[in-house]
Amino acid sequence: MSSAGIHSPTATGTSNSMADSEHPRLILHDFLSPDLCKELEFIHKSCSTIGYRENVFSTTLSHLIATNSPHLILPFLPIREKLKEKVEEFFGCEYELFIEFTGLISWCKGASIGWHSDDNRPYLKQRDYAAVCYLNSYGVDFNGGLFHFQDGNPATFVPMAGDVLIYTADTRNVHSVEEITNGERLTLTLWFTRDKSHDEDVKLISSLTKHPCNSSDTYSKPYLPFPASQNMYWFPSEESLKYQSGFDIRCGRLHVLGYQFCCKDARVKSSMDFSDILLEPLHLVKGNDLFDKEFSNILHLLQVVQFYHWKGPTELKRSEFKMEAMNVVQVSMSQREEIRLLKVESLKDEDLAEVIFNGGGSVEHDWVSFCDVVDLWEAYTSNLWDNLVFRLPDWIANQSIFYE
């Protein structure tokens, strides 16, 4: 695995070091390439769950492992290592740090946080430094959500995709994030610690050791994702026990892109909970067209759709995959009713889904391109899986996750 998606700020961007010892912070412009930002956006929009704050969604590395997508941690690894080097170099603590947390976090309309430091709770005192990598741009992909420091310069950071903001996690860098007014502000956030007992690698390796990817057993398509508990996907979270209002965020993301779905078996039993249906084989629907290919569950379907919206516009021209005959059929009357019933259950408030995921982005859909993307997703995913299986024994032996 290469680190081609990570730029050297001294070569392709700018590095603004804030020498103020009272409020030490570092800005790296154009640190991440546009395509790497888009790849991480694809992972987040395919895999995220309800986050730790209102109107916030997150994708952690441990969650990827738990939902049978451990291979998707690989694109994070070069970034983690390069950022760790930058933090150690800038703050003069070479070889002293461990990565405490790595996660994708998106803030949607209404999300905000007041003045705080990142170590402001007893259970967060291990955090020494933070790095916030912006995967999309202010004024283009979202409005509001600017990062403000209480003291020192810059007082406000206006990000573009690929920029990184690094700062101490203590009271020297108290900050706030203003309310998101539109769109989805997407970041990759890391915290670093000097406390080895909080080393994220050790915890991740423990999970990977127990995962089927560390087994000698062979399965057909072992990389197919499997959803976590339904309550992790229901927004707002306080409605996740009754499901009387709100929406399933996986179905919400499909909805804002203009997609629906139905079961392989065109019968929706009234006794079957919709959350169980989402674990069953599904077909993708766009308008009156049904793509007559099975997806193993809602996460599999969502991953392929989001992959299409990442790769479709650019990669298909370079695709070496030969398009198979399309298998698109018209939605039947019984399927139309099933689609309606599933939408009623999974999108109790579709207007809210459109508000929260406004600006979700879209590409012009055509089934010819989508057929190719299904093959591209298979190749991308199986390659990452094989790469993970190859590397895992060394990670376990060294109790450290690395990519070189």
Side-chain angles (χ1 to χ4, degrees):
M1 177 179 297
S2 73
S3 55
I6 302 173
H7 294 157
S8 169
T10 57
T12 62
T14 59
S15 174
N16 297 337
S17 300
M18 300 302 149
D20 183 355
S21 60
E22 293 184 5
H23 312 288
R25 60 194 66 145
L26 173 68
I27 296 172
L28 303 173
H29 292 294
D30 300 322
F31 185 74
L32 302 180
S33 71
D35 195 57
L36 185 52
C37 290
K38 287 295 183 183
E39 183 173 17
L40 296 178
E41 179 180 354
F42 149 70
I43 293 172
H44 182 67
K45 290 185 175 181
S46 301
C47 306
S48 61
T49 63
I50 300 301
Y52 59 98
R53 300 187 63 81
E54 184 177 356
N55 296 14
V56 171
F57 304 92
S58 66
T59 305
T60 64
L61 302 192
S62 59
H63 174 73
L64 292 175
I65 296 170
T67 52
N68 201 44
S69 297
H71 51 284
L72 292 180
I73 72 175
L74 289 172
F76 294 82
L77 303 189
I79 308 171
R80 291 168 91 239
E81 290 304 310
K82 291 295 183 182
L83 281 175
K84 181 171 173 287
E85 291 174 7
K86 288 291 182 184
V87 171
E88 290 179 331
E89 176 185 353
F90 181 70
F91 291 104
C93 50
E94 287 85 352
Y95 311 114
E96 293 182 11
L97 296 184
F98 303 92
I99 299 170
E100 189 255 357
F101 173 87
T102 309
L104 296 167
I105 302 173
S106 66
W107 297 51
C108 295
K109 185 174 181 178
S112 67
I113 187 171
W115 296 114
H116 70 285
S117 63
D118 286 352
D119 68 348
N120 67 344
R121 296 287 187 273
Y123 56 86
L124 301 177
K125 288 300 181 182
Q126 71 278 1
R127 291 180 174 175
D128 292 305
Y129 305 103
V132 179
C133 311
Y134 287 85
L135 306 181
N136 57 6
S137 299
Y138 173 79
V140 178
D141 304 295
F142 64 92
N143 290 302
L146 288 178
F147 193 110
H148 300 291
F149 285 105
Q150 194 172 56
D151 300 293
N153 290 306
T156 298
F157 181 60
V158 181
M160 298 297 289
D163 291 348
V164 179
L165 178 61
I166 297 172
Y167 55 92
T168 60
D170 57 20
T171 54
R172 289 177 292 173
N173 278 298
V174 171
H175 58 277
S176 66
V177 177
E178 67 183 42
E179 183 175 332
I180 302 289
T181 58
N182 186 57
E184 186 170 10
R185 172 187 181 268
L186 180 56
T187 63
L188 168 63
T189 300
L190 294 89
W191 281 285
F192 302 88
T193 181
R194 289 186 172 88
D195 187 344
K196 183 174 175 57
S197 68
H198 290 277
D199 184 358
E200 182 180 43
D201 283 11
V202 174
K203 300 170 187 176
L204 295 175
I205 290 170
S206 175
S207 297
L208 287 167
T209 302
K210 304 166 189 173
H211 192 275
C213 65
N214 191 42
S215 169
S216 59
D217 296 336
T218 57
Y219 304 93
S220 174
K221 298 185 178 181
Y223 45 77
L224 293 177
F226 193 81
S229 300
Q230 173 61 30
N231 65 328
M232 297 182 70
Y233 300 105
W234 194 263
F235 179 88
S237 58
E238 57 266 24
E239 291 292 329
S240 62
L241 295 178
K242 298 179 180 179
Y243 306 126
Q244 293 181 348
S245 64
F247 62 93
D248 180 287
I249 64 173
R250 298 161 298 182
C251 302
R253 288 202 183 274
L254 290 170
H255 171 73
V256 298
L257 296 175
Y259 296 98
Q260 296 173 309
F261 57 91
C262 65
C263 296
K264 172 189 175 185
D265 187 340
R267 296 169 298 171
V268 179
K269 300 178 180 179
S270 59
S271 60
M272 194 173 187
D273 188 274
F274 89 93
S275 61
D276 294 327
I277 294 173
L278 298 182
L279 303 179
E280 296 294 317
L282 300 171
H283 289 290
L284 182 66
V285 175
K286 179 79 169 177
N288 292 318
D289 295 334
L290 181 146
F291 188 54
D292 197 17
K293 174 184 170 60
E294 277 183 30
F295 296 95
S296 61
N297 55 55
I298 189 67
L299 274 191
H300 180 200
L301 187 153
L302 180 59
Q303 277 196 22
V304 175
V305 167
Q306 294 291 354
F307 191 85
Y308 175 68
H309 283 256
W310 167 33
K311 290 289 191 179
T314 56
E315 289 296 314
L316 292 181
K317 295 178 182 178
R318 302 197 298 270
S319 171
E320 298 177 359
F321 291 94
K322 185 177 181 180
M323 188 197 75
E324 298 178 359
M326 289 190 302
N327 199 1
V328 177
V329 299
Q330 291 295 292
V331 175
S332 68
M333 290 297 293
S334 61
Q335 288 169 333
R336 178 64 60 193
E337 177 62 10
E338 177 197 343
I339 293 166
R340 185 189 70 80
L341 291 173
L342 284 171
K343 186 175 181 180
V344 167
E345 292 298 318
S346 62
L347 292 171
K348 299 288 187 182
D349 191 340
E350 63 181 79
D351 290 338
L352 178 61
E354 292 167 6
V355 168
I356 293 298
F357 293 141
N358 179 37
S362 63
V363 298
E364 183 179 349
H365 180 89
D366 72 88
W367 290 113
V368 174
S369 298
F370 192 83
C371 286
D372 275 353
V373 159
V374 173
D375 288 333
L376 282 171
W377 177 86
E378 291 274 358
Y380 167 85
T381 306
S382 62
N383 179 63
L384 285 179
W385 181 275
D386 292 343
N387 200 330
L388 171 68
V389 171
F390 174 77
R391 295 172 181 276
L392 186 54
D394 284 341
W395 294 354
I396 295 172
N398 291 278
Q399 287 295 291
S400 178
I401 296 177
F402 50 90
Y403 68 90
E404 291 183 348

